[in-house]
Amino acid sequence: MSYDNIVSLLGSEAESLLQYESKTISKDLLHAPGPDFVDRIFVQSNRSPQVLRSLQQLFNHGRLGGTGYLSILPVDQGIEHTAGASFAPNPIYFDPENIIRLAMEGGCNAVATTFGNLAMMSRKYAHKIPFVVKINHNELMTYPNKYDQIMFGSVDEAWNLGATAVGATIYFGSEESSRQIIEVAEAFERAHQLGMATILWCYTRNNAFKKDGVDYHAAADLTAQANHLGVTIQADIIKQKLPENYGGFKAIGFGKTNEKMYTDLTTDNPIDLTRYQVANCYMGRAGLINSGGESKGESDLADAVRTAVINKRAGGMGLISGRKAFQKDMKVGVELLNAIQDVYLANDITLA
């Protein structure tokens, strides 16, 4: 996809997103992605040579290989949202081989999915594309539904099936978050001992995060603090939803805030909101990959490109996009994944 096509897909937002100059957190303070990211950032850390090798494997694979950016296909919706609801739009993805094929044909850096999916195909594909095993999930068979991330297997088994990295979710703000933090911190420590990289889905979850009809689950201040908790337990890469608003702490009336969080460190521009998320990932030392979000039909391609532009210009490390890609014909899914990658390959799209 050409730069002109990207501009066309952004429509009326093209100028405000592509020409925007951020006046909040200077790009000079960020540790931006680049071909030397592992050598420049992680070599200084406590990560072992085996972990450094795993991180480099992620960065070296696919169409974005060697750029420092990541395009990952995540498919855990079979558990999180029920398999029928997730795969009815394209039933071929009940077969885990097709999930892996989509990631490979789509030029992704890695495929992130369940123990069962990757274990079933590990000997055929673990050496062909980096595996990210999603080790915990929220299952929706319990009635009434509950929202709690529970472990579905061991880190050792993720290593046995050939994983390059493990991924996990924490519902920050939920009643179960303290237990989840402890569980995931221990799992990430074990993953690092075995030489695997770690990716954390840093989601906020509490009914009280909705106030006066406004949903603050994707507020920049709440999600950014979730990110900061995530990097504290040594997640190498943070996955977060694109921020939709800010001022969640003030609206809900809890937490510690400083007025400069809202006057100096961010604005209502989506690039500034996302940059505040990046800042809370140790100024980008741990990469921020934003979620591609749910499939909405015809607007999916434009929505995915918009998210990629915001993430890249904010200082993020890439996109992890699933439903927009796998709930379609595979050819269309590949085209969408490639369009996301083209944003990160476009030299004209730079840090704001």
Side-chain angles (χ1 to χ4, degrees):
M1 177 178 290
S2 69
Y3 180 79
D4 288 342
N5 287 335
I6 293 171
V7 172
S8 177
L9 283 170
L10 292 175
S12 61
E13 286 190 290
E15 184 175 352
S16 65
L17 292 179
L18 293 172
Q19 306 302 323
Y20 182 71
E21 293 185 20
S22 178
K23 303 295 185 183
T24 57
I25 298 169
S26 171
K27 64 181 180 181
D28 296 331
L29 297 176
L30 301 178
H31 301 280
D36 62 341
F37 193 81
V38 173
D39 290 334
R40 176 164 42 93
I41 302 301
F42 280 113
V43 163
Q44 304 176 58
S45 74
N46 67 342
R47 275 55 164 186
S48 69
Q50 291 89 348
V51 173
L52 299 180
R53 180 178 60 191
S54 293
L55 285 165
Q56 198 65 62
Q57 285 178 330
L58 291 174
F59 285 117
N60 281 352
H61 196 81
R63 293 184 71 230
L64 296 183
T67 66
Y69 291 104
L70 297 172
S71 167
I72 298 175
L73 175 73
V75 185
D76 59 2
Q77 286 83 2
I79 295 174
E80 299 276 350
H81 304 144
T82 78
S86 301
F87 302 138
N90 193 348
I92 69 169
Y93 293 111
F94 278 109
D95 185 339
E97 183 168 14
N98 287 321
I99 292 171
I100 299 171
R101 283 185 52 226
L102 175 60
M104 293 177 64
E105 294 182 23
C108 292
N109 298 74
V111 57
T113 186
T114 65
F115 272 105
N117 283 347
L118 294 176
M120 188 61 70
M121 304 306 304
S122 67
R123 292 186 186 275
K124 184 171 182 179
Y125 290 107
H127 59 297
K128 296 180 180 178
I129 184 171
F131 281 5
V132 180
V133 178
K134 187 66 165 47
I135 61 176
N136 68 355
H137 303 281
N138 174 48
E139 56 84 18
L140 291 179
M141 276 294 288
T142 303
Y143 185 84
N145 285 161
K146 61 180 180 180
Y147 298 93
D148 184 14
Q149 292 287 328
I150 58 174
M151 291 291 173
F152 268 61
S154 69
V155 174
D156 286 61
E157 182 53 31
W159 182 83
N160 284 334
L161 64 81
T164 302
V166 297
T169 298
I170 293 176
Y171 284 155
F172 292 103
S174 69
E175 291 184 10
E176 301 84 6
S177 62
S178 294
R179 191 205 78 244
Q180 293 170 18
I181 290 169
I182 293 169
E183 285 180 350
V184 174
E186 291 175 348
F188 280 9
E189 180 180 350
R190 180 59 178 158
H192 280 156
Q193 287 173 350
L194 292 171
M196 292 182 287
T198 58
I199 304 175
L200 187 62
W201 280 238
C202 289
Y203 287 169
T204 62
R205 182 63 62 89
N206 193 306
N207 288 333
F209 292 172
K210 298 178 182 179
K211 183 77 170 179
D212 298 328
V214 179
D215 190 344
Y216 290 101
H217 279 92
D221 48 349
L222 296 185
T223 54
Q225 181 59 22
N227 291 356
H228 200 70
L229 295 174
V231 294
T232 299
I233 64 171
Q234 298 189 75
D236 301 317
I237 298 164
I238 295 293
K239 180 200 174 187
Q240 184 56 267
K241 295 181 179 181
L242 199 72
E244 298 175 0
N245 48 36
Y246 68 130
F249 280 125
K250 294 199 296 184
I252 299 163
F254 87 113
K256 301 291 185 182
T257 62
N258 184 303
E259 192 58 30
K260 287 189 175 182
M261 290 167 56
Y262 308 103
T263 59
D264 293 14
L265 299 186
T266 193
T267 70
D268 59 2
N269 185 284
I271 293 172
D272 287 336
L273 294 174
T274 307
R275 178 156 297 180
Y276 186 63
Q277 289 183 341
V278 173
N280 277 268
C281 296
Y282 296 151
M283 282 294 187
R285 288 183 186 270
L288 172 70
I289 52 177
N290 285 120
S291 170
E294 66 180 312
S295 176
K296 296 180 179 178
E298 293 183 1
S299 68
D300 281 353
L301 181 61
D303 291 344
V305 166
R306 176 183 184 272
T307 302
V309 168
I310 291 169
N311 172 272
K312 184 180 183 183
R313 299 214 68 215
M317 187 169 276
L319 238 57
I320 184 163
S321 187
R323 282 170 286 174
K324 281 181 168 64
F326 75 77
Q327 291 184 334
K328 295 176 173 62
D329 179 81
M330 186 175 288
K331 181 176 182 292
V332 177
V334 167
E335 291 172 352
L336 185 139
L337 292 169
N338 288 168
I340 290 170
Q341 294 151 11
D342 287 341
V343 171
Y344 294 97
L345 293 171
N347 293 328
D348 291 331
I349 301 175
T350 58
L351 280 176

